[in-house]
Amino acid sequence: MSQEHSPHRIDRRVATTYIGLGLAACLSGRVQAQTAGVWRIENIAGTGVAGSQGEKGPALGAQLDNPFGVVRGPDGDIWFCEYTGQRVRKIHSDGTLETIVGTGQKGYSGDRGAALEATMNLPHEIRFDSAGDLYIVDMQNHAIRKVELATMRITTIAGTGSPGYSGDGGPAIEAQFKQPHSIQFGPEGDLYVCDIGNHVIRRIDIKTQRISTYAGTGVPGPTPDGAPLSATALNGPRSIDFDHQGDLWLATREGNQVFRIDRKQGRYEHVAGTGQSGLAGDGGPAKLAKLKGPKGIALDNQGGVWLADTESHCVRRIDTSTGLIERIAGTGIQGDGPIGEPLECKLSRLHGIYVDRDGSILIGDSQAHRIRRLYREK
């Protein structure tokens, strides 16, 4: 469930006219249902050149540096993290860009201080909790960090900073991860973490701050359809999201598959991917399709499962009502644009994917150094 779990007041200032009416609605967070019309793609941030120039200017004229995770924040702005830029930035509703976390230097410093003065090491994904605070997967620091937006102070809430697999049953701050990649809050408010280097999903109880292993054995292996959560292996758990029934959805990077975890039954349902790496099967059953290193997953309200099929340079969608998969954006060849017709727009190792409030899709097009948006043209 890519939309955040609780409503917040949205800044509804009218966006400047240079971005057009459709993008203005996107940036201001105005809700308009995306249920009909032809898919189109546009840029909302980045020039296509890696860098840091353009701070506090128009987002479309600013340089980005490998944007990964992207979300709509509780303030109505669009937030994203930069993998090699070592920052968290946001696009205001007036179309301007601002850095919120990070100096832009690689490191591990700044805890209990100002978020802007902190250093990170390859941040992968960001999420907001129900209180509106920001959580960051600081991947190469093997940690989860939190920014309290009221004070703009940053702390580490999980991970020691050293790689490993330890700490289950104890405080999350004393536990070890090995290159955590993706996080998402479950319906009960607990934080789930794709601990990909250990081939497990961990769960942090937000009330007690204690950590446990939720899925996976710690050893890579196949995940049979219908297998129980306990004692079943995972092969590179890379990205997670929750649907509105509270079930967890998982994309496996090395496994090249998608699973639904039925939390009530405690079992895996195989949804997509043969396990072989490739780009094949669009228009047919998702289970028979090939995926290639999927690194992002997001659920919409119409039974759609959206994938950042990274190494295929594509956005793909699984229709859970029919079981079919289709390619929505990207040619399968790495590149940069052009915008307009999504199937003619080349993408470049996209990582971030997010279903916005109006049903449009936000994309962290990483090596194109852009944030893009898929929307329905009326």
Side-chain angles (χ1 to χ4, degrees):
M1 183 168 52
S2 287
Q3 296 88 345
E4 305 309 320
H5 297 299
S6 65
H8 301 269
R9 188 175 68 86
I10 298 172
D11 184 349
R12 298 181 183 272
R13 291 172 292 172
V14 177
T16 51
T17 56
Y18 85 92
I19 54 179
L21 293 176
L23 185 52
C26 164
L27 294 179
S28 66
R30 294 199 298 272
V31 178
Q32 297 176 352
Q34 299 276 330
T35 56
V38 177
W39 285 106
R40 306 290 288 173
I41 193 167
E42 64 183 350
N43 300 328
I44 61 173
T47 64
V49 176
S52 59
Q53 295 181 6
E55 178 73 10
K56 296 189 178 179
L60 280 169
Q63 294 176 341
L64 312 183
D65 194 350
N66 223 340
F68 268 41
V70 57
V71 300
R72 174 78 66 177
D75 55 1
D77 295 336
I78 296 171
W79 296 61
F80 62 94
C81 59
E82 292 182 337
Y83 177 69
T84 45
Q86 319 298 342
R87 293 170 293 193
V88 175
R89 312 177 81 181
K90 73 172 181 176
I91 307 167
H92 291 276
S93 58
D94 64 359
T96 57
L97 184 71
E98 182 182 6
T99 298
I100 304 298
V101 185
T103 65
Q105 301 298 312
K106 185 182 289 187
Y108 189 15
S109 66
D111 274 353
R112 294 177 297 280
L116 262 177
E117 298 174 5
T119 58
M120 298 176 286
N121 195 349
L122 307 181
H124 260 59
E125 195 166 79
I126 57 174
R127 302 286 188 184
F128 288 90
D129 67 12
S130 60
D133 291 326
L134 175 69
Y135 288 69
I136 306 166
V137 182
D138 198 351
M139 188 273 289
Q140 202 58 42
N141 284 326
H142 315 285
I144 311 299
R145 303 176 80 178
K146 175 183 176 180
V147 178
E148 186 180 77
L149 293 196
T151 63
M152 292 309 299
R153 299 277 173 175
I154 190 170
T155 56
T156 296
I157 63 108
T160 65
S162 298
Y165 183 27
S166 68
D168 276 355
I173 193 67
E174 298 176 4
Q176 289 180 302
F177 299 98
K178 190 176 181 182
Q179 298 180 340
H181 275 51
S182 178
I183 53 174
Q184 183 58 292
F185 287 94
E188 71 286 351
D190 292 339
L191 184 64
Y192 291 73
V193 182
C194 278
D195 191 358
I196 195 170
N198 290 316
H199 299 278
V200 295
I201 298 172
R202 316 280 288 274
R203 178 172 58 190
I204 300 170
D205 186 308
I206 291 298
K207 293 179 181 178
T208 66
Q209 290 296 304
R210 293 190 172 271
I211 192 169
S212 60
T213 294
Y214 177 75
T217 63
V219 178
T223 308
D225 190 22
L229 274 181
S230 61
T232 299
L234 297 172
N235 192 8
R238 173 55 180 85
S239 186
I240 51 176
D241 200 5
F242 284 85
D243 64 23
H244 286 274
Q245 286 71 49
D247 288 333
L248 188 152
W249 290 72
L250 166 68
T252 60
R253 186 181 66 187
E254 284 78 14
N256 295 300
Q257 291 180 308
V258 174
F259 297 92
R260 180 181 71 94
I261 296 178
D262 185 324
R263 297 207 307 151
K264 292 181 180 179
Q265 297 296 322
R267 293 189 176 276
Y268 294 96
E269 177 192 354
H270 172 225
V271 176
T274 64
Q276 294 180 310
S277 177
L279 176 57
D282 286 329
K287 289 183 178 181
L288 302 181
K290 292 181 181 179
L291 310 178
K292 194 173 184 181
K295 295 178 176 65
I297 190 168
L299 280 292
D300 67 27
N301 291 328
Q302 284 77 46
V305 182
W306 293 81
L307 299 176
D309 199 4
T310 306
E311 308 306 336
S312 290
H313 314 290
C314 291
V315 173
R316 303 171 82 178
R317 183 183 186 271
I318 303 162
D319 186 330
T320 57
S321 66
T322 63
L324 303 179
I325 190 171
E326 61 178 328
R327 180 166 50 93
I328 304 295
T331 66
I333 299 172
Q334 187 172 11
D336 182 8
I339 58 173
E341 166 53 54
L343 291 174
E344 297 176 3
C345 179
K346 293 180 181 178
L347 306 176
S348 187
R349 297 199 72 242
L350 65 157
H351 284 73
I353 193 158
Y354 178 83
V355 180
D356 207 356
R357 295 184 178 105
D358 65 351
S360 62
I361 308 300
L362 303 178
I363 302 166
D365 195 1
S366 306
Q367 291 187 3
H369 310 291
R370 298 185 191 271
I371 303 296
R372 305 191 200 261
R373 174 180 176 252
L374 279 165
Y375 66 98
R376 292 276 197 181
E377 188 173 65
K378 301 297 183 182

